[in-house]
Amino acid sequence: MPIMGPFGNHLPASLLSIVFPTVFLLLSQQLLSPVAALQKEMTISVGPGKVDCFYEVAKAGQTIDIEYQVIDGGHGDLDISFELAEVTGRTIFADYKKSDNIHRFPVPYDGEYKFCFDNGFSRANSKTVFFEIIIEREGEQDEAGWADIDLLEGLTPEEFYEMKVQDMEDAIKRVRNHLTKARQLQDVLRSHEARDRNVAEENYFKVNVWSFFQILVMIAVGFLQVFMVKSLFDVDSRAYKLLTKL
């Protein structure tokens, strides 16, 4: 069955042999090519009294987005200090003993930036930190489509298919961006889940330890009461003589 063009005419076979491989190539490139922006997610363990730093390069016009969360700290100690600074030493953002935070920084000029997690205030507990760094250039994608077919009047079949291929490329980019954002949200939700699980396990441990301690105290008090009551009826015991003197 011959394929009709946008204006009712048949497309030549030579044009079809160019259009379909081009569409397939665009689909492959958009689905398999990596995202241009930097997106890094890591879970690290910062030892007691230690500082862990990471370095990334950003260019003018880009935006640095960083989100971190302490998901485990031992004994419910879920806090850490954070610093975003230039390699020259100028501090951009600084947090002291926070469990989580989000920072956004528009990059004014090209340079290297460091992200440091400081656990120096803790002398016994290591901190497990999940963080995500996104460095990208802000820009809005054109969401407009070909709403009116009349706008295409006067175009050749080749020009029409070039526009449609561009529309497909833009749609694939939007789908890829939405999938990337969905994956980032799932990673953040997993970090929240890990933190809640660690807090619940720590509370469970504390409840068991405190309950065991209370049981020991109750047993000791019971033996002491039996001993005291028995001593009240034994006139030759030292406890009886001591109690009579009191």
Side-chain angles (χ1 to χ4, degrees):
M1 179 179 179
I3 299 179
M4 305 296 293
F7 308 106
N9 55 338
H10 296 283
L11 292 179
S14 59
L15 179 60
L16 294 177
S17 63
I18 297 176
V19 170
F20 288 122
T22 303
V23 173
F24 178 77
L25 180 61
L26 287 173
L27 289 172
S28 302
Q29 289 178 347
Q30 293 300 324
L31 293 176
L32 299 179
S33 62
V35 180
L38 171 66
Q39 299 176 357
K40 180 178 294 186
E41 300 171 359
M42 294 183 64
T43 301
I44 62 173
S45 179
V46 185
K50 302 293 184 179
V51 179
D52 282 355
C53 294
F54 302 86
Y55 297 85
E56 297 294 344
V57 176
K59 297 183 179 180
Q62 292 183 325
T63 302
I64 298 176
D65 290 306
I66 181 166
E67 178 179 0
Y68 68 90
Q69 183 181 40
V70 183
I71 59 178
D72 191 14
H75 308 292
D77 190 13
L78 300 177
D79 53 9
I80 201 166
S81 297
F82 169 78
E83 181 185 24
L84 169 61
E86 298 177 353
V87 291
T88 57
R90 187 178 73 90
T91 300
I92 300 172
F93 296 110
D95 299 332
Y96 179 69
K97 297 184 69 173
K98 286 191 174 182
S99 61
D100 59 87
N101 208 347
I102 301 175
H103 291 295
R104 185 177 182 86
F105 174 65
V107 179
Y109 47 83
D110 297 355
E112 189 176 21
Y113 296 86
K114 65 176 181 178
F115 314 84
C116 295
F117 296 93
D118 186 1
N119 194 29
F121 57 86
S122 179
R123 299 302 178 186
N125 297 327
S126 298
K127 306 296 175 60
T128 302
V129 183
F130 168 81
F131 70 92
E132 178 183 30
I133 298 176
I134 301 177
I135 302 177
E136 62 183 356
R137 189 179 301 275
E138 291 186 341
E140 297 181 357
Q141 296 183 353
D142 186 13
E143 300 290 340
W146 296 101
D148 191 356
I149 193 63
D150 294 336
L151 296 176
L152 302 178
E153 291 183 357
L155 298 179
T156 64
E158 292 81 0
E159 292 173 340
F160 175 81
Y161 272 93
E162 287 179 1
M163 291 184 178
K164 285 303 180 182
V165 169
Q166 183 64 39
D167 289 345
M168 294 176 62
E169 183 179 356
D170 294 338
I172 294 173
K173 287 181 179 179
R174 289 194 295 269
V175 172
R176 184 186 62 185
N177 292 334
H178 292 327
L179 290 175
T180 301
K181 292 180 180 179
R183 181 179 58 82
Q184 293 171 355
L185 180 59
Q186 290 176 347
D187 293 337
V188 173
L189 292 177
R190 280 198 296 268
S191 69
H192 284 281
E193 179 186 1
R195 177 181 178 179
D196 294 340
R197 183 177 64 251
N198 292 330
V199 171
E201 291 177 353
E202 182 66 24
N203 291 335
Y204 178 75
F205 174 76
K206 290 180 179 178
V207 169
N208 287 337
V209 171
W210 182 247
S211 300
F212 180 74
F213 175 74
Q214 286 184 323
I215 291 174
L216 292 180
V217 172
M218 292 174 61
I219 294 175
V221 171
F223 277 110
L224 180 61
Q225 289 179 341
V226 172
F227 175 76
M228 297 295 294
V229 172
K230 183 179 179 181
S231 300
L232 293 176
F233 298 95
D234 188 0
V235 295
D236 295 330
S237 65
R238 295 182 179 180
Y240 178 81
K241 297 178 181 179
L242 180 60
L243 291 175
T244 53
K245 291 181 180 180
L246 295 178

